[in-house]
Amino acid sequence: MMMFLASNSAFSDACIRPVAYVFSAPAKIRVQEGLGVVEDAASDDWTRALLRVRDGRDREAFARLFRHFAPRIKAFLRRGGMGDAQAEDCVQDVMATLWHKAHLYDPTRATVATWVFTIARNRRIDMLRRVRPEPEDLPWGPEPEPDQADALALRQEAERLGVAIAQLPDAQRSLIERAFFGDVSHSEIAAETGLPLGTIKSRIRLALERLRQRLS
Amino acid sequence: MTITHHLTDQILLAHAGGALSEAFGLVVAAHLSMCDDCRARLGAFEAVGGAILETCGTVPVDDGGLAATFARIDAADRRTAPAPRRARGPLPGPIADYIGGGLDDVRWKPAGMGVRQAVLCTAEGATARLLHIPAGVAVPDHGHRGLEMTLVLRGAFRDEGMRFGPGDVEIADAATEHTPVAEHGADCICLAATDAPLRFNAFLPRIAQSFLRI
């Protein structure tokens, strides 16, 4: 089954190209039914809030993260078919995990939203009594802080990616969303996704190289 | 280690979305432990998940949700956090976790003609196993109804004119007719995952064929 119709391969070298469409995009994405607007300015706030949780066990910062992410996690889980009570339980578990694992968050490799997504996805898999093997951890090296410029560059790439996803044709975006809601099997996913992932992949690759250098 | 055969976008997107069964997930996790390029590609797909989380709408949580979450946090704070999972030996960490040690700890069982295997996990209709193939011998002809992923851990095999060395992963579907043959000089150890329980069948003629070719 061919899920995704666009023909560009996300990871060929040729695809690490200028993302010109980003700059021609309207300042605010048109809100469609069921879709919110990616909050451009907020991404930095969430990073700072999470670092306050990490460094100061800051409950007010956590409460702000909760108010933003908890209703989104719940929507994400409900769209994947989870019942209301189970989704509520799962949301609390995901947010508690965010608190406990805040020291593992690396803002040069993932935005807070991406990190929250991976925690929610893993918890959903747990609740289905399935097992997800994880690769070896790549924890922090001797330097305690990630590079601020790298973290900013990653957030900007993530924002551009969000704009690009919002601009995909409805049918294609819907199929990609279903893949993340846990609604498709691996055999239903086609080779070409049409997602412009080359630049964000390069950013994460750079962060991994720096981490390896610090570890060695 | 120079890895030339990587995970496909299909596999990485399925893994990012959480659609892979345990067996395929194990092959992916083992490859990611050896390959930062695929780790970064997975990170890019997970960024798509992050963008979707931000835009998939909101559903109100219970009024007491935040207080209940703080109660969970306070209850768990009294427990200790697990240590990071790091490489403990030459095998990728996820495989070492399943074996409970190194290759010396594997309980091999004969699969015929010198090939040995050890099943690591079977769930959701997919099986992951280690295969030990003597140098110069073909992987036994086997039925797989769907996806098959083979990650090389030691040695190398050749298939369809390509060489697969340590860290390389070969991805085949049911339509793929292929006969991986372990290179001369060293035995080949692989982690293989298949959709259906692997059935070795008619491998005698196939191995005889490979001997004739040698």
Side-chain angles (χ1 to χ4, degrees):
Chain A
M1 175 183 167
M2 203 49 198
M3 265 185 68
F4 306 116
L5 305 174
S7 60
N8 58 321
S9 168
F11 289 115
S12 67
D13 288 336
C15 275
I16 303 174
R17 60 189 173 218
V19 278
Y21 51 84
V22 168
F23 303 108
S24 62
K28 282 287 176 191
I29 308 157
R30 184 168 49 88
V31 180
Q32 302 187 32
E33 195 173 331
L35 290 173
V37 174
V38 179
E39 293 167 52
D40 296 341
S43 177
D44 180 38
D45 291 345
W46 304 136
T47 307
R48 277 186 274 132
L50 188 51
L51 296 182
R52 281 203 197 96
V53 169
R54 183 192 71 182
D55 299 330
R57 308 273 92 180
D58 184 330
R59 293 198 169 218
E60 178 47 39
F62 182 82
R64 283 198 292 119
L65 288 163
F66 187 95
R67 282 192 290 272
H68 179 77
F69 284 108
R72 285 169 172 78
I73 299 166
K74 192 163 177 185
F76 169 79
L77 296 169
R78 298 284 283 128
R79 298 267 307 253
M82 194 181 283
D84 188 78
Q86 201 177 19
E88 187 72 32
D89 178 54
C90 192
V91 165
Q92 293 178 18
D93 202 276
V94 169
M95 292 305 297
T97 302
L98 182 121
W99 173 283
H100 290 300
K101 293 194 169 175
H103 62 288
L104 296 175
Y105 172 63
D106 177 354
T108 68
R109 283 190 280 161
T111 64
V112 176
T114 296
W115 197 57
V116 169
F117 156 72
T118 61
I119 296 171
R121 172 201 63 198
N122 292 356
R123 187 68 192 126
R124 184 186 68 209
I125 292 170
D126 287 346
M127 286 185 136
L128 295 168
R129 298 180 192 285
R130 293 172 51 214
V131 176
R132 178 187 172 89
E134 291 293 338
E136 290 161 16
D137 288 328
L138 280 175
W140 289 112
E143 288 174 39
E145 287 303 318
D147 189 290
Q148 293 292 321
D150 285 352
L152 173 64
L154 182 82
R155 283 200 301 276
Q156 289 171 338
E157 287 305 331
E159 280 164 21
R160 287 173 195 178
L161 179 60
V163 172
I165 293 167
Q167 291 179 334
L168 288 174
D170 286 352
Q172 189 181 350
R173 194 189 58 244
S174 165
L175 287 165
I176 291 171
E177 283 178 350
R178 282 181 55 214
F180 285 93
F181 295 145
D183 210 14
V184 297
S185 70
H186 66 73
S187 60
E188 292 176 278
I189 294 169
E192 307 292 347
T193 64
L195 292 164
L197 299 180
T199 42
I200 197 162
K201 176 253 169 180
S202 299
R203 273 279 147 211
I204 300 168
R205 185 76 176 87
L206 186 68
L208 290 171
E209 276 170 28
R210 293 189 178 162
L211 189 58
R212 293 282 187 200
Q213 283 165 9
R214 286 204 296 271
L215 288 172
S216 65
Chain B
M1 186 188 307
T2 306
I3 297 175
T4 51
H5 300 281
H6 294 270
L7 298 167
T8 61
D9 284 359
Q10 282 156 297
I11 296 294
L12 287 168
L13 174 53
H15 193 59
L20 289 186
S21 58
E22 181 181 357
F24 293 116
L26 178 58
V27 176
V28 170
H31 181 83
L32 294 178
S33 297
M34 306 159 93
C35 179
D36 279 350
D37 212 54
C38 285
R39 201 189 273 260
R41 288 170 61 207
L42 177 68
F45 277 112
E46 288 177 337
V48 177
I52 288 169
L53 179 76
E54 281 284 10
T55 57
C56 71
T58 59
V59 171
V61 295
D62 290 355
D63 287 343
L66 178 60
T69 303
F70 275 129
R72 287 186 191 212
I73 287 167
D74 295 337
D77 258 348
R78 290 187 276 276
R79 298 197 293 267
T80 51
R85 294 167 59 259
R86 305 293 299 276
R88 292 179 299 188
L91 276 181
I95 301 176
D97 288 346
Y98 277 79
I99 298 169
L103 284 174
D104 292 341
D105 301 301
V106 177
R107 289 180 204 158
W108 297 104
K109 290 187 175 167
M113 297 305 287
V115 176
R116 295 183 291 161
Q117 65 163 332
V119 172
L120 299 186
C121 64
T122 298
E124 303 162 73
T127 299
R129 75 195 65 221
L130 291 169
L131 289 172
H132 182 139
I133 307 144
V137 169
V139 176
D141 183 20
H142 52 269
H144 55 93
R145 286 197 288 268
L147 182 65
E148 181 187 57
M149 291 172 61
T150 310
L151 172 70
V152 179
L153 301 173
R154 289 250 184 105
F157 68 78
R158 288 185 179 275
D159 195 17
E160 302 290 304
M162 290 178 290
R163 180 180 189 274
F164 295 83
D168 283 333
V169 62
E170 182 178 44
I171 298 169
D173 59 27
T176 311
E177 290 215 5
H178 64 131
T179 308
V181 181
E183 274 192 347
H184 293 285
D187 293 353
C188 182
I189 298 176
C190 306
L191 173 69
T194 47
D195 251 340
L198 197 67
R199 290 172 292 110
F200 288 114
N201 49 33
F203 59 81
L204 278 168
R206 185 61 63 92
I207 285 180
Q209 191 185 357
S210 80
F211 280 134
L212 290 174
R213 242 188 251 138
I214 290 166

